[in-house]
Amino acid sequence: MPLDDAAKQCTAEPWNLLNVYRPEDVLEMEASANLTSQGESLQFTYTVRVACRKSSARPISRPFTIVSERLKLTGGRFQDTVLLENLEGKVKLLHEKAFLAGYVSGTEFVAATAPTESTMLFRLYDLETNPRANLFKRYLDSWGYYSLDAGQMRSNVATPMDRGMDAFGSNLCSVLYTLHNERPRDERKLVEAAKLIEPRLDLISFQSPDRDHVYMFFEDKDGHRFGVQNVSDGTLRFLAICFLIISNRTDEPSEAVSPLIMIEEPENGIFVEHLKPLIEKIDPSGRQGQFLFTSHNPYFIDLFDGTLDGLHMVRSLGSYSSVSKPDGAQLTQRLGKFSLGELHFRGLLG
């Protein structure tokens, strides 16, 4: 989507994305990913710099524009090769087939101009001339961020064929209704998982009086019904997390893109021990998708003492945050005296 629309998706006050502590009116972001295409290992690096310029006429309006954008690839015959470059709207795209055919350097690039209010990666057509660049684009499109809100998860507003849950879970009833109609076996897995927190749950039923609304009910073996208004916040959050883990598994090894799912403080309203069997269902290799959890809860952090490679610390450094990985050997030694959560609580994670 255009940058201004993306900014509004992030916050109700997009002009504050460049906060008052930043010395420059430019945001720089970078993403690196190792993906597989037709058995070939590919390492992508994508960088984008976005300017947010103040308007003298309307101080509150700060249109976002592209300063620079670059996508590089290493893998096979590609060695730190530029697939896409955008310098304030002056664009060059690598014709990947021409590059592999050995065209003379320079002639394998297609030059163009583009408006600067959106990225060139967003504008990239899904053509056979750029399969690797589009593979990375599909990977970014698979990212999902969730800060589940129990109040919004009680909404009965629905969209036909709704398959992806939104950031706050406000369409939980809608996506579970689609799951109910399209993938009953996955729905059965969802119900079995949810029995851990609601042992009397036998099935989930729905009523859809019109195309814009769906009402979800929990039923026990005797047919007693409980609507979402009579279910605890933790139960709804647990159900939403179950859905994210089940629905984002990728079992097709070929061109399927393993998603990246980010969940803020998943333990809110849930007995942490109930999350353990869910966490154990996640393949730590990342082949079926990566999950990024943020938490301050020492008991939730304890769940990851067997997967220290995935542990990272976030610290505030004034106008930005740094992400670092604790020293593995030092951490293992300290785990003999304290649990992982206690190490975090005592400030000993490094």
Side-chain angles (χ1 to χ4, degrees):
M1 64 183 71
L3 295 174
D4 286 351
D5 292 343
K8 291 173 185 175
Q9 290 281 329
C10 295
T11 173
E13 298 178 338
W15 57 88
N16 278 333
L17 284 174
L18 290 167
N19 64 64
V20 296
Y21 302 106
R22 286 187 58 84
E24 299 178 0
D25 281 355
V26 175
L27 288 168
E28 181 169 338
M29 292 161 276
E30 178 176 317
S32 299
N34 296 336
L35 305 176
T36 302
S37 175
Q38 299 179 349
E40 188 176 51
S41 179
L42 304 172
Q43 294 82 48
F44 292 91
T45 301
Y46 178 68
T47 56
V48 60
R49 299 180 72 240
V50 179
C52 182
R53 298 187 174 91
K54 296 179 182 179
S55 168
S56 57
R58 295 178 60 198
I60 204 170
S61 175
R62 305 182 67 174
F64 290 83
T65 57
I66 290 293
V67 176
S68 64
E69 173 188 15
R70 184 176 288 109
L71 176 63
K72 288 187 175 183
L73 170 63
T74 294
R77 290 173 58 185
F78 298 87
Q79 297 299 318
D80 203 28
T81 305
V82 174
L83 299 183
L84 178 155
E85 187 175 70
N86 180 3
L87 300 175
E88 295 186 318
K90 295 180 180 179
V91 178
K92 67 175 186 178
L93 295 172
L94 181 69
H95 190 301
E96 296 173 24
K97 284 196 170 184
F99 175 82
L100 293 173
Y103 279 39
V104 178
S105 180
T107 60
E108 67 272 32
F109 283 97
V110 177
T113 58
T116 59
E117 81 274 5
S118 62
T119 66
M120 192 60 208
L121 192 66
F122 160 70
R123 295 178 177 278
L124 187 65
Y125 291 110
D126 193 2
L127 301 175
E128 61 177 15
T129 55
N130 303 93
R132 293 161 188 83
N134 276 293
L135 175 68
F136 181 77
K137 177 180 177 177
R138 291 201 305 275
Y139 169 66
L140 285 190
D141 194 46
S142 78
W143 287 19
Y145 169 81
Y146 301 93
S147 181
L148 299 169
D149 180 270
Q152 295 194 49
M153 284 191 285
R154 291 184 166 84
S155 171
N156 55 36
V157 176
T159 302
M161 313 299 288
D162 203 359
R163 296 183 180 88
M165 194 163 65
D166 68 24
F168 303 106
S170 64
N171 63 338
L172 177 64
C173 294
S174 183
V175 295
L176 291 186
Y177 183 56
T178 302
L179 186 75
H180 172 80
N181 291 322
E182 293 185 347
R183 295 156 53 195
R185 288 184 177 84
D186 281 344
E187 183 193 30
R188 197 179 308 149
K189 293 177 185 176
L190 193 76
V191 170
E192 287 302 314
K195 282 183 178 180
L196 184 65
I197 199 168
E198 284 288 347
R200 290 172 293 185
L201 177 63
D202 186 54
L203 60 87
I204 300 175
S205 63
F206 301 87
Q207 286 185 357
S208 182
D210 56 66
R211 60 183 282 116
D212 299 322
H213 297 88
V214 165
Y215 295 87
M216 182 168 67
F217 300 91
F218 290 66
E219 294 191 22
D220 63 17
K221 288 184 178 180
D222 296 321
H224 298 128
R225 276 186 169 189
F226 301 91
V228 292
Q229 302 301 329
N230 295 308
V231 176
S232 72
D233 294 358
T235 297
L236 291 175
R237 290 176 61 84
F238 188 84
L239 197 64
I241 295 169
C242 288
F243 172 79
L244 291 174
I245 291 176
I246 289 172
S247 65
N248 285 289
R249 291 176 67 89
T250 55
D251 297 318
E252 305 88 356
S254 56
E255 290 301 305
V257 175
S258 299
L260 172 63
I261 304 300
M262 297 165 270
I263 305 178
E264 291 276 5
E265 300 180 340
E267 74 282 358
N268 282 351
I270 302 173
F271 177 45
V272 170
E273 187 66 21
H274 287 156
L275 290 171
K276 187 173 183 180
L278 286 185
I279 302 300
E280 290 174 346
K281 290 184 182 296
I282 298 173
D283 180 358
S285 72
R287 284 189 294 268
Q288 292 187 325
Q290 291 177 287
F291 283 80
L292 178 62
F293 302 104
T294 63
S295 179
H296 301 279
N297 188 311
Y299 300 107
F300 180 74
I301 294 170
D302 278 342
L303 299 181
F304 299 89
D305 57 3
T307 53
L308 298 179
D309 284 346
L311 182 68
H312 292 76
M313 293 287 295
V314 182
R315 291 183 177 84
S316 175
L317 295 178
S319 62
Y320 66 97
S321 297
S322 76
V323 181
S324 60
K325 193 171 181 179
D327 182 271
Q330 188 179 68
L331 203 55
T332 301
Q333 185 179 16
R334 289 176 176 173
L335 278 174
K337 299 177 181 178
F338 302 103
S339 72
L340 192 62
E342 282 183 298
L343 290 175
H344 166 66
F345 179 75
R346 296 170 183 271
L348 298 174
L349 281 182

